[in-house]
Amino acid sequence: MLTLISVVVAAIIFEYSNGFHDAANAIATVVSTRVLTPRKAIAMAAFFNLTGALFGGAVASTIGKGLVDTDIVTMTTVLSAVIAAFAWNIATWWLGLPSSSSHALIGGLCGAALAAARGNWSVIKWNAGMWPKVVVPMITSPLAGFIFGGLLMFLLFVALRPFTPHFIHSLFGKLQIFSAAWMAHSHGTNDAQKTMGIITLALFTGTKAGSFDHLPDWLHFLKTPVFALPKWVIGLCAITMAVGTAAGGWRIIRTLGHRMVKLQPVNGFAAETTAALIIQGASYYGIPLSTTHVITTSIMGVGAVKRFGGMRWTVVERIIWAWLFTLPASGLIGYALARAAAAAL
């Protein structure tokens, strides 16, 4: 029971960190274009992250049972995965790098599961889970963000050529509020689901192991004989992500909104709309996408069309290195934690 409490607490802390770590995903552009003040932007992002988190469950199912063999997963495995993801989140947040909370959690889970299986790589569901739902989207979704963000920006340039800059700025100053809200909502539908999947996996594992057989009646809500998201888990994760988003993530907001490229409201609208479309589609198919990757490359695509030479490619290079290291680094941390826990028991 103590291990379950530790898992839930660690998962909630991770969800909170996910909220403030990824606050920039939804509002960096709307803050940098000065359409909304930082305080108003964060309040809006928190609300729409909450609404998004309450919908769907396909991504949670992928995280909870689609990536590793649940037969070898224990409470300790789940706890090691969450701590590994949280550690990587904090490290990249401190450096101001928009790395992927999703990939940190996936890497931590795979590393911990590999340790539990004593190095047996078959425990990872490569063909049905990792390859089609993590590795391929990790490559294609940033490319899609860059290409479609640039394409939408080009089409807007052509369509808006007859209008004055004042009219364009005024129009997209209003439209960007809606695109930022949609981006926050889509972020909630994908990212909040991941922690829901982890907590449900812990409950499912504990139920299967008989850990809850002797609980008093008032704790029977913990029993999860089949992998299905309990309503209390959905509500808890949704509220936690909203609170975390409300705390803000100013280091990453500065990186995405100011350091890569200077944006106008029309640029912010194009980037947010592109990212929201891609993330919403991925959530429907249960793909635990990196919302950070998508919004970042959408901004890159928009910025490259606006002025290719205006992109600060040294910042972009640092971000790409963070992307590449996230899965293996969090995997190694998860593996080390799980091995250390096994040695201590």
Side-chain angles (χ1 to χ4, degrees):
M1 189 63 186
L2 181 61
T3 308
L4 173 66
I5 294 172
S6 300
V7 169
V8 173
V9 170
I12 291 306
I13 293 173
F14 171 76
E15 187 80 326
Y16 178 84
S17 76
N18 194 355
F20 75 71
H21 188 278
D22 288 2
N25 291 356
I27 62 173
T29 53
V30 81
V31 170
S32 68
T33 58
R34 299 183 180 179
V35 168
L36 290 177
T37 64
R39 190 179 299 273
K40 289 180 179 178
I42 285 181
M44 181 193 70
F47 176 78
F48 284 102
N49 259 312
L50 176 63
T51 62
L54 295 173
F55 289 91
V59 173
S61 294
T62 297
I63 292 290
K65 61 180 181 179
L67 302 179
V68 299
D69 185 355
T70 57
D71 289 338
I72 60 90
V73 173
T74 64
M75 293 282 191
T76 304
T77 308
V78 179
L79 182 60
S80 299
V82 177
I83 293 174
F86 177 73
W88 185 251
N89 254 10
I90 292 299
T92 52
W93 167 79
W94 181 256
L95 295 171
L97 295 175
S99 68
S100 171
S101 299
S102 309
H103 290 163
L105 186 58
I106 291 168
L109 179 60
C110 290
L114 188 63
R118 299 183 179 277
N120 183 1
W121 286 87
S122 64
V123 74
I124 300 174
K125 297 180 179 179
W126 291 104
N127 295 331
M130 279 295 292
W131 181 255
K133 293 196 172 182
V134 177
V135 177
V136 172
M138 185 174 71
I139 298 168
T140 57
S141 62
L143 289 174
F146 186 86
I147 293 168
F148 290 115
L151 179 61
L152 179 57
M153 191 68 254
F154 175 76
L155 293 174
L156 285 173
F157 272 148
V158 173
L160 296 172
R161 189 171 296 169
F163 299 98
T164 64
H166 176 75
F167 173 82
I168 295 171
H169 189 87
S170 176
L171 174 64
F172 283 92
K174 297 179 180 68
L175 290 177
Q176 197 187 358
I177 296 174
F178 292 100
S179 64
W182 187 18
M183 177 61 204
H185 178 84
S186 65
H187 175 265
T189 62
N190 202 284
D191 268 31
Q193 298 284 326
K194 293 152 191 169
T195 307
M196 294 179 198
I198 282 291
I199 294 177
T200 304
L201 175 60
L203 295 172
F204 176 66
T205 299
T207 303
K208 194 167 58 173
S211 303
F212 307 146
D213 289 348
H214 304 293
L215 291 177
D217 291 342
W218 64 277
L219 286 175
H220 277 186
F221 68 92
L222 295 174
K223 289 189 175 181
T224 310
V226 295
F227 192 96
L229 297 181
K231 291 182 179 178
W232 69 269
V233 172
I234 296 172
L236 181 63
C237 290
I239 292 170
T240 302
M241 172 158 278
V243 173
T245 303
W250 300 111
R251 292 173 183 269
I252 298 172
I253 287 172
R254 284 195 293 269
T255 297
L256 285 179
H258 297 286
R259 293 179 184 169
M260 281 203 308
V261 65
K262 188 175 181 180
L263 300 173
Q264 298 297 327
V266 63
N267 311 126
F269 172 83
E272 289 159 353
T273 302
T274 300
L277 273 169
I278 294 170
I279 296 165
Q280 205 77 58
S283 299
Y284 179 80
Y285 289 105
I287 297 173
L289 205 63
S290 169
T291 55
T292 307
H293 290 193
V294 176
I295 186 61
T296 304
T297 53
S298 296
I299 293 172
M300 290 180 189
V302 167
V305 169
K306 181 188 175 193
R307 185 183 166 211
F308 193 82
M311 287 292 296
R312 297 179 182 175
W313 294 106
T314 54
V315 176
V316 173
E317 183 182 356
R318 289 180 67 213
I319 292 170
I320 291 174
W321 278 115
W323 290 354
L324 293 176
F325 279 116
T326 294
L327 271 175
S330 56
L332 283 171
I333 297 170
Y335 182 88
L337 289 171
R339 286 297 299 269
L345 293 176

